[in-house]
Amino acid sequence: MTHPLPSHLTAVGASAESASETRLAARLAPLTTRDGFTSTTLPGVQLIASHCGHPRTPLMYEPSLVIIVQGNKTGYLGERIIHYGAGHYLIQAMPLPFECETHASDTKPLLGLSVSLDMAMLSDLVARLPSTTSTRMPAPMAAVSMDADMEENVSRLIDCLADPDQAAALGDGRIREVLFTALRGPQGASLRQLVAYHGQYSRIAEALTFLHRHYTQTLNVDALAQRVNMSASHFHHHFKRTTQLAPMQYLKRLRLLKARALLTQQGHQVAQAATQVGYQSASQFSRDYKRYFGRSPLEDRQRATPAAS
């Protein structure tokens, strides 16, 4: 189903697609074999494609740069509306539950790349750059227009993906170039502070990492706050300021998103999925699931079972 670009974005989207972006799309298109996120020969780099639009739906990206070379996406994070389309990249510094709408068609599919944030590589790059003294809390999710340097580095990364020998020999360097350019861009502070190991931003990032590793366990605000050396009230305030959700709300959405993947991608039974993500009551899980996604878990499983099998 085609999901057209809203009229208020049509002119912006059309004017934003420069000749260089069109060339990027033409070179990326032959590499995409199916819709969705597809792994490549480079660890942490995925192809993104969609030949149809998708209505607003809850999802979560892992920490990454999401680079769009054709088509448009609209993200909704709390009260914020984030447009990232052709010629933009989304900096997803922390894994945040948000809602996303995709504008694409069969004749003009959405095309892009996802580059995971390699923390070791990021730390090394930050250590080699001049230090900054900004204490402003950066946005953990923001769209940035690609400048000439980013376009060139994305182009080199795409070339690398198309050539296995080049990928094996130069792949890490191409990823490094893209991250370096993002670090020097207008939202670079959100990446710098991830590896600064001090301040509220990096502490919330540490708490999120722990949550994602232990979301099936029984957790509470006091334990999370203690883990990152913050008082419970201070932790709650900064967590909500950063993610737009209270810690236990975040945990619930994380569990539900993980459960949806189990139902739709692996064909789990509803009760099995509920238990596996940390719910002790299948009925409570079903109520929370329908409230969040607008469909029951059984409906999602039944839709996906033929594909999953």
Side-chain angles (χ1 to χ4, degrees):
M1 180 183 75
T2 298
H3 194 65
L5 187 66
S7 58
H8 70 285
L9 290 179
T10 303
V12 175
S15 62
E17 292 184 14
S18 66
S20 59
E21 289 152 16
T22 301
R23 287 195 296 272
L24 290 178
R27 289 154 67 187
L28 189 59
L31 303 178
T32 60
T33 57
R34 62 183 180 86
D35 281 6
F37 285 70
T38 306
S39 297
T40 69
T41 55
L42 291 180
V45 178
Q46 294 180 293
L47 303 173
I48 304 171
S50 180
H51 285 74
C52 65
H54 296 281
R56 182 171 171 173
T57 187
L59 54 75
M60 182 186 297
Y61 292 155
E62 291 301 311
S64 58
L65 303 183
V66 178
I67 302 161
I68 305 298
V69 301
Q70 180 172 281
N72 287 271
K73 282 180 171 285
T74 304
Y76 302 88
L77 179 65
E79 299 298 317
R80 293 178 59 205
I81 300 177
I82 304 167
H83 302 294
Y84 54 112
H88 293 80
Y89 60 97
L90 182 77
I91 290 185
Q92 184 80 53
M94 297 183 189
L96 303 179
F98 72 111
E99 295 182 347
C100 184
E101 187 175 19
T102 300
H103 313 287
S105 68
D106 189 50
T107 56
K108 195 164 188 178
L110 180 119
L111 298 170
L113 295 168
S114 172
V115 180
S116 294
L117 298 183
D118 182 321
M119 292 304 166
M121 185 181 291
L122 202 58
S123 295
D124 183 60
L125 286 168
V126 169
R128 294 168 186 270
L129 289 170
S131 61
T132 60
T133 57
S134 174
T135 57
R136 180 179 62 86
M137 180 77 81
M141 178 179 177
V144 181
S145 294
M146 280 200 288
D147 60 15
D149 286 344
M150 182 60 88
E151 285 187 7
E152 175 61 25
N153 290 327
V154 169
S155 176
R156 287 152 64 90
L157 179 58
I158 293 173
D159 287 345
C160 197
L161 294 173
D163 183 339
D165 292 340
Q166 190 179 153
L170 303 174
D172 284 351
R174 298 296 183 244
I175 296 171
R176 190 179 178 90
E177 289 173 343
V178 169
L179 289 181
F180 172 76
T181 307
L183 273 168
R184 296 211 300 179
Q187 290 293 326
S190 64
L191 301 177
R192 284 175 178 268
Q193 290 195 31
L194 278 180
V195 295
Y197 304 114
H198 62 78
Q200 316 306 335
Y201 190 83
S202 61
R203 291 183 184 186
I204 298 304
E206 181 184 347
L208 289 175
T209 298
F210 181 81
L211 269 174
H212 277 249
R213 290 176 179 167
H214 303 280
Y215 66 88
T216 63
Q217 299 177 9
T218 300
L219 299 170
N220 58 55
V221 173
D222 288 340
L224 290 169
Q226 185 176 6
R227 183 168 190 84
V228 295
N229 297 314
M230 297 173 71
S231 69
S233 60
H234 205 49
F235 173 75
H236 190 282
H237 170 75
H238 284 286
F239 191 101
K240 189 168 185 179
R241 179 182 174 190
T242 302
T243 68
Q244 308 297 307
L245 294 168
M248 294 302 100
Q249 288 178 312
Y250 182 100
L251 176 60
K252 179 187 290 187
R253 292 194 183 181
L254 174 60
R255 286 173 169 171
L256 293 172
L257 287 162
K258 294 289 187 181
R260 184 176 64 173
L262 293 176
L263 293 166
T264 61
Q265 297 172 23
Q266 299 184 34
H268 279 43
Q269 299 290 337
V270 173
Q272 180 187 14
T275 300
Q276 195 157 326
V277 300
Y279 269 84
Q280 297 182 3
S281 166
S283 59
Q284 183 63 52
F285 166 72
S286 294
R287 287 194 295 271
D288 289 346
Y289 192 102
K290 187 167 186 178
R291 188 178 301 116
Y292 187 37
F293 295 114
R295 298 182 300 275
S296 72
L298 183 58
E299 288 176 304
D300 266 352
R301 184 185 183 279
Q302 289 173 337
R303 288 183 183 187
T305 295
S309 61

